[in-house]
Amino acid sequence: MNLTRLGNINPYIIYALMFFGILIPLITPLGFPVVVAQMVKNVYAAVDALQPGDTIVMSFDYSAGGSAEIFPQTRAMAIQALKKNVKIVCIAFSDQGVPFADQIVDIYVSAGKKYGEDIVNLGYLTGAETGIAAFLADFAKAVPKDATGKETASLPLVKATNNANKVQLVGSFGTGKPGPLEWVRQLAQYKVKYAAGVTTSMAPQAYPYVQAGQCVGVLAGMVDAAGYEVLIKDPGPATKGMDAQSMGHLVMIVLVLLGNIAYWAERSQLKKGV
Amino acid sequence: MSTSFAVWIGAILTIGVYTFLYKENPFYRFVEHAFIGLGSGYALVMGYTNIINKAWTPLSKGRIEFLIPVALGLMLFGRFAKGLTWTARIPLAFVIGMGSAIALRGSVQAEFVQQIQAAMTPINSLDSLLILIGTLGVLAFFLFTVKQENVLMQSANYVGRVTMMLCFGAIFASGIMLRISLFIGILQFLFGTWIHLIK
């Protein structure tokens, strides 16, 4: 058998393998266990330590493209906060982040919480890191009107917690800039805890902030969102996607192995002068 | 099957994007252009809302100090008029200066002091030992002013290279994981929200 041919698999076969490898576990779940990472436990513990009436800032710094990975993280944190009677100030430093913040508001409102008192959506704030600096210093000054067009300063929740010193936790969820680096830089002068939710590809760059104590934990992509859903005992979209994720990885590992077998076979043929 | 018009539109456009896997075609190009157009339109609306909320509303309430940022913003358009190009440099200098100052304010503490402190942990576990070896190796790898001739430097260089390769491997694997997660999201939408095959 000529093993070098493994390096020339038709791309359509690869597409089909990946498509069915991911789709089948979504339709008929395989029941792989979800392992909860220590980082997820750290973030869960940070929210769990909050008292009823405390406030979290949740920043939606992602667009529709990254929502499959990030939205389940925000949903899980919001559900835990809801169970703890913790209030949420939503803000977006990505223009497409506002509708995702609206979905978190819907979760709160449908559970009987009041908009303006228990949760607010301050909408999109331009300026990236400069915007973050202005927002942390004074919510109402940086964002005069919320996403619904109401005067921010008139909202009871903003009146009570108008800057970063008056909130107990900041959670930023993003797929690029502004990301953990910008948040860590701007939060350096405040004594508020910080948790980050990022895509899996961004996670290795965010972990050093945890080691340095600048961040309580990093939620990396769908896998950590699934872990979070396990901790809050509320399986959601991330948990449902975990079997498919594992199968996708298995397909990828097999393909990488086949590629390497082809490479070594080709190399040995070259050495033999075939 | 979903009865929502928006879901149907979303599903058809999603399929349009994936037709690119076969080959580039007019359907794909239409979806691509529609996406760019919609994105630009959405950003325009958000920008307009920002100007109304942050400039027009305070100005209409008599807060004339807001004339300064409005004037600076208008000066950015100077680059489109011959002879007035120089006016755009002033607000740009303002933006760059402000941005740098705000970033620098926290970066010394957040990116240097605390990161160096975190790397200076006692060696009481395998993790901390690996961090120490990896950090020293990578730093040695980038010592371009020292000739890598003796065994010590060559070994440190090798350790640095291996450490970076492991890091690149982790980043690449994370990238694959991200793509698979995004694809899962698409399949959940197509086979769950749209045709209700996924429960």
Side-chain angles (χ1 to χ4, degrees):
Chain A
M1 186 187 171
N2 188 0
L3 292 174
T4 56
R5 289 176 62 190
L6 290 172
N8 297 314
I9 301 173
N10 188 325
Y12 296 118
I13 295 174
I14 296 174
Y15 297 155
L17 279 173
M18 197 52 93
F19 178 76
F20 289 110
I22 291 175
L23 180 63
I24 292 167
L26 283 174
I27 296 169
T28 52
L30 305 169
F32 290 147
V34 176
V35 180
V36 184
Q38 187 55 46
M39 291 276 187
V40 185
K41 289 177 187 169
N42 291 352
V43 176
Y44 177 84
V47 179
D48 200 48
L50 300 177
Q51 301 301 314
D54 283 351
T55 305
I56 300 177
V57 166
M58 286 179 75
S59 179
F60 297 77
D61 309 335
Y62 60 96
S63 60
S67 63
E69 282 226 299
I70 309 290
F71 180 71
Q73 299 172 359
T74 56
R75 178 188 164 275
M77 183 181 274
I79 288 172
Q80 190 192 3
L82 177 66
K83 286 177 181 171
K84 296 276 305 176
N85 279 320
V86 168
K87 300 173 181 192
I88 299 178
V89 174
C90 301
I91 180 80
F93 290 94
S94 160
D95 55 359
Q96 290 185 36
V98 183
F100 299 108
D102 280 336
Q103 291 186 49
I104 298 304
V105 171
D106 288 344
I107 291 173
Y108 257 62
V109 172
S110 59
K113 297 289 182 187
K114 281 188 181 164
Y115 182 84
E117 289 179 20
D118 301 304
I119 189 163
V120 290
N121 180 6
L122 301 186
Y124 167 58
L125 178 57
T126 186
E129 190 169 357
T130 313
I132 292 173
F135 170 74
L136 293 174
D138 191 323
F139 299 169
K141 237 181 188 176
V143 192
K145 286 188 178 177
D146 73 352
T148 63
K150 288 179 187 152
E151 293 282 340
T152 306
S154 68
L155 299 167
L157 179 52
V158 178
K159 272 185 190 168
T161 52
N162 195 28
N163 60 59
N165 283 324
K166 291 182 181 168
V167 300
Q168 284 68 42
L169 180 71
V170 172
S172 81
F173 300 87
T175 51
K177 285 193 182 248
L181 169 63
E182 287 75 20
W183 279 98
V184 162
R185 274 204 297 236
Q186 294 311 318
L187 284 167
Q189 58 188 307
Y190 300 97
K191 284 183 179 168
V192 58
K193 284 182 181 173
Y194 169 62
V198 294
T199 59
T200 36
S201 59
M202 285 169 69
Q205 292 143 37
Y207 289 149
Y209 302 123
V210 180
Q211 192 208 341
Q214 295 157 302
C215 179
V216 292
V218 172
L219 300 173
M222 189 183 267
V223 64
D224 282 353
Y228 208 144
E229 286 173 358
V230 167
L231 289 177
I232 62 169
K233 298 181 180 71
D234 191 329
T239 310
K240 287 175 188 168
M242 273 306 94
D243 285 345
Q245 182 100 43
S246 303
M247 281 304 289
H249 288 185
L250 283 175
V251 171
M252 206 66 206
I253 289 167
V254 170
L255 290 170
V256 168
L257 288 176
L258 290 179
N260 276 280
I261 290 169
Y263 169 75
W264 286 105
E266 202 175 307
R267 215 168 110 140
S268 92
Q269 278 187 3
L270 279 173
K271 271 186 186 169
K272 286 176 191 167
V274 178
Chain B
M1 278 266 183
S2 170
T3 51
S4 163
F5 180 67
V7 169
W8 271 83
I9 293 288
I12 291 166
L13 293 180
T14 304
I15 291 167
V17 171
Y18 277 103
T19 58
F20 184 77
L21 292 177
Y22 175 61
K23 65 175 184 180
E24 187 159 334
N25 59 77
F27 187 22
Y28 168 76
R29 277 202 295 276
F30 165 74
V31 178
E32 189 183 32
H33 292 132
F35 179 75
I36 292 168
L38 282 168
S40 308
Y42 183 78
L44 186 74
V45 171
M46 296 306 282
Y48 174 78
T49 312
N50 253 318
I51 291 169
I52 294 295
N53 288 345
K54 294 193 179 65
W56 181 250
T57 308
L59 269 173
S60 61
K61 286 180 181 169
R63 295 184 62 185
I64 53 164
E65 72 269 24
F66 277 79
L67 278 173
I68 299 168
V70 169
L72 285 169
L74 288 172
M75 282 161 77
L76 280 170
F77 291 99
R79 65 171 59 197
F80 299 116
K82 264 188 183 174
L84 288 176
T85 315
W86 63 273
T87 57
R89 290 186 205 135
I90 298 167
L92 268 180
F94 216 87
V95 169
I96 293 167
M98 284 272 291
S100 306
I102 286 169
L104 277 172
R105 185 180 59 169
S107 68
V108 175
Q109 183 66 18
E111 288 180 75
F112 292 98
V113 179
Q114 283 183 278
Q115 288 301 319
I116 291 167
Q117 278 175 343
M120 293 165 72
T121 50
I123 306 162
N124 52 12
S125 66
L126 183 62
D127 281 356
S128 51
L129 181 66
L130 288 174
I131 288 170
L132 176 75
I133 294 170
T135 307
L136 293 179
V138 174
L139 287 173
F141 184 87
F142 288 106
L143 276 177
F144 299 125
T145 49
V146 179
K147 279 192 177 176
Q148 312 270 334
E149 282 172 344
N150 60 58
V151 182
L152 183 70
M153 280 311 291
Q154 282 174 349
S155 308
N157 193 313
Y158 179 74
V159 169
R161 193 150 48 90
V162 170
T163 307
M164 282 190 287
M165 287 299 169
L166 289 170
C167 180
F168 297 149
I171 292 172
F172 179 66
S174 307
I176 292 172
M177 206 163 155
L178 164 69
R179 266 68 187 177
I180 290 175
S181 297
L182 299 181
F183 189 50
I184 289 168
I186 294 295
L187 289 184
Q188 282 177 332
F189 170 67
L190 288 177
F191 291 89
T193 314
W194 186 37
I195 57 174
H196 299 172
L197 201 63
I198 298 170
K199 301 294 173 203

